[in-house]
Amino acid sequence: MDSVAPILELMKLSEGLKRELRHSWLSDGRRESVAEHSWQMALMAMVMHRHLKHPVDLSRTLQMIIVHDLVEAVVGDVPFFETGERKKNKAAREAAAMETIRDMLGGAGGAHLAELWWEFETRETPEAKFAGALDNLEVQLQHNLADLSTWEEIEYGLVYNKMDKPCSHDAFLQAMSGAIKQQAEQKMRAGGVDVEAVKAEVVKAEADRTEASPPIILR
């Protein structure tokens, strides 16, 4: 059948997510793959969706989670805190990669993959907002499970500001974010990190950003 070959080609490409490593380590010291990150997000969605204030379509959410990092099989993973050309061009490169994947599978199947990916990227639907929150929660959850020596210093501050906005739309997600923050604080304190100094630096950085970009007041 004509549909067999493109599906096999997509599976060959997607295997790259098992090999593409993220800037996250597991508790045994091995680096986490993109595929493992997506799997953990899917499990979180299954056990957490019942606690959300507003219902979501779990099937749609899981499909989105499976697809959300598929482009990294083409362009690779770029850590959140990375700077430079690779980070600057990330969005354009990923959009082009999704076009390649859509065309590779073709037909309604390819269009569906692209639709799911763009839905996740734009974060407008309840399912996309939920998946986006899980994307950020899973990162910190995995960091908490790994040895503190695997953290970059910049990641101390991310504990206090990376999860907040993605989780702000739901009380349960906010509670989960708070619990994960507490775990991170315990880990940092046990490792000799001055948590209060980290918090103060985060507050100062936010104040500096606000001062540099004051809100526009319409009169």
Side-chain angles (χ1 to χ4, degrees), residues 133-207:
L134 295 175
D135 195 20
N136 287 275
L137 292 171
E138 194 281 335
V139 172
Q140 191 58 56
L141 182 62
Q142 185 57 56
H143 274 52
N144 292 351
L145 295 171
D147 193 271
L148 187 64
S149 65
T150 65
W151 295 29
E152 298 285 344
E153 187 173 346
I154 193 174
E155 292 177 300
Y156 300 158
L158 292 179
V159 169
Y160 298 101
N161 55 27
K162 190 170 184 290
M163 296 181 289
D164 289 354
K165 185 176 180 180
C167 294
S168 63
H169 67 282
D170 185 89
F172 179 76
L173 293 175
Q174 290 175 25
M176 182 63 69
S177 172
I180 292 174
K181 281 183 187 179
Q182 288 182 350
Q183 286 184 344
E185 284 189 343
Q186 292 170 3
K187 190 174 196 72
M188 288 191 291
R189 286 197 172 99
V193 176
D194 187 340
V195 170
E196 299 309 316
V198 171
K199 288 181 179 179
E201 184 61 31
V202 169
V203 171
K204 180 179 182 301
E206 183 58 35

Side-chain angles (χ1 to χ4, degrees), residues 1-211:
M1 297 177 64
D2 293 342
S3 59
V4 170
I7 290 174
L8 289 177
E9 194 64 22
L10 178 64
M11 293 306 103
K12 179 181 177 181
L13 179 142
S14 67
E15 190 255 352
L17 296 187
K18 299 180 182 181
R19 295 181 281 105
E20 180 66 25
L21 301 180
R22 294 166 51 80
H23 183 73
S24 293
W25 274 254
L26 306 183
S27 58
D28 64 358
R30 176 173 67 79
R31 284 182 72 179
E32 178 191 43
S33 72
V34 175
E36 289 168 324
H37 161 68
S38 296
W39 172 83
Q40 190 83 55
M41 282 177 60
L43 181 61
M44 292 170 73
M46 287 179 62
V47 298
M48 290 169 58
H49 80 280
R50 293 180 177 84
H51 301 278
L52 300 178
K53 182 177 180 180
H54 301 291
V56 296
D57 182 331
L58 179 59
S59 175
R60 183 78 177 182
T61 303
L62 291 174
Q63 291 178 62
M64 204 179 305
I65 287 170
I66 290 169
V67 168
H68 87 286
D69 274 343
L70 187 56
V71 294
E72 294 185 6
V74 178
V75 300
D77 178 68
V78 180
F80 177 81
F81 52 80
E82 185 174 312
T83 59
E85 286 301 307
R86 207 165 71 113
K87 181 72 170 185
K88 180 181 177 182
N89 299 324
K90 179 177 183 289
R93 289 168 62 237
E94 289 186 345
M98 179 45 66
E99 289 185 11
T100 298
I101 293 169
R102 179 198 63 201
D103 294 344
M104 174 186 295
L105 189 57
H112 184 54
L113 288 185
E115 178 185 295
L116 288 166
W117 187 79
W118 279 112
E119 182 177 344
F120 176 83
E121 287 294 303
T122 53
R123 301 290 203 282
E124 292 180 355
T125 65
E127 290 76 19
K129 290 176 181 178
F130 182 34
L134 295 175
D135 195 20
N136 287 275
L137 292 171
E138 194 281 335
V139 172
Q140 191 58 56
L141 182 62
Q142 185 57 56
H143 274 52
N144 292 351
L145 295 171
D147 193 271
L148 187 64
S149 65
T150 65
W151 295 29
E152 298 285 344
E153 187 173 346
I154 193 174
E155 292 177 300
Y156 300 158
L158 292 179
V159 169
Y160 298 101
N161 55 27
K162 190 170 184 290
M163 296 181 289
D164 289 354
K165 185 176 180 180
C167 294
S168 63
H169 67 282
D170 185 89
F172 179 76
L173 293 175
Q174 290 175 25
M176 182 63 69
S177 172
I180 292 174
K181 281 183 187 179
Q182 288 182 350
Q183 286 184 344
E185 284 189 343
Q186 292 170 3
K187 190 174 196 72
M188 288 191 291
R189 286 197 172 99
V193 176
D194 187 340
V195 170
E196 299 309 316
V198 171
K199 288 181 179 179
E201 184 61 31
V202 169
V203 171
K204 180 179 182 301
E206 183 58 35
D208 290 345
R209 278 194 296 270
T210 302
E211 183 177 345

